[in-house]
């Protein structure tokens, strides 16, 4: 994570729900909007017994600066070799301004307290992602 600690989904099993969200790059407009929305919903997510893990291919130092600059206060994980993104199926061919490249497809996964994958948020809206997560939990858990 941004503080050099190893993080595993196993450490949350039996303790809390987990949202694992993949974002393309720290400190970009969309990623900042998304992260700040999650930050602003921290109390409500905590009340719903849910922790958030953000994952990007950025280096630990870059995600630490991102956390510090926006006072995010939740766990950000570095996936520099994109192995985790590949395992989750979110490292894919993308197109932007006529160019094709490999990158993270913005996707989130909701894992319940028992460690079961319950929902995949695809085509994430960066402006409403935090509210989408909260509504899903309230309606389904």
């Amino acid at each position: 994570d941004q503080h050099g600690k190893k993080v595993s989904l196993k450490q949350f099993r039996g303790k809390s729900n987990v949202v694992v969200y993949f974002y393309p790059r720290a400190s970009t407009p969309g990623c900042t909007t998304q992260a700040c929305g999650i930050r602003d919903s921290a109390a409500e997510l905590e009340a719903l017994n849910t922790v958030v893990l953000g994952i990007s291919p950025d280096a630990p130092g870059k995600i630490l600066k991102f956390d510090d600059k926006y006072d995010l206060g939740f766990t950000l994980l570095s996936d520099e070799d994109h192995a985790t993104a590949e395992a989750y199926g979110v490292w894919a061919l993308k197109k932007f301004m006529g160019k094709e490249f490999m990158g993270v497809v913005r996707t989130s996964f909701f894992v319940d307290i028992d460690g079961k994958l319950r929902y995949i948020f695809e085509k994430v809206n960066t402006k409403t992602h935090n509210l989408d997560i909260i509504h899903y939990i309230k309606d389904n858990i």
Side-chain angles (χ1 to χ4, degrees), residues 22-123:
F22 288 86
Y23 63 99
R25 201 167 74 214
S27 296
T28 57
C31 295
T32 300
T33 297
Q34 183 178 17
C36 289
I38 291 168
R39 174 203 63 203
D40 295 345
S41 296
E44 195 163 3
L45 289 164
E46 184 177 339
L48 294 169
N49 193 30
T50 302
V51 298
V52 176
L53 306 174
I55 304 177
S56 76
D58 296 309
K62 185 170 182 182
I63 59 175
L64 177 59
K65 288 178 185 175
F66 184 44
D67 181 24
D68 288 345
K69 182 174 182 179
Y70 296 101
D71 195 26
L72 297 176
F74 60 90
T75 302
L76 298 173
L77 302 170
S78 172
D79 184 31
E80 288 184 283
D81 63 359
H82 47 81
T84 304
E86 287 182 38
Y88 276 76
V90 300
W91 185 258
L93 186 65
K94 297 172 67 172
K95 292 181 182 179
F96 183 70
M97 296 179 67
K99 294 184 180 185
E100 291 186 341
F101 59 95
M102 294 300 289
V104 169
V105 176
R106 196 181 303 275
T107 309
S108 296
F109 299 83
F110 180 81
V111 179
D112 70 15
I113 196 166
D114 297 319
K116 180 181 176 187
L117 175 63
R118 295 284 298 265
Y119 191 75
I120 301 172
F121 296 84
E122 298 177 292
K123 298 182 182 173

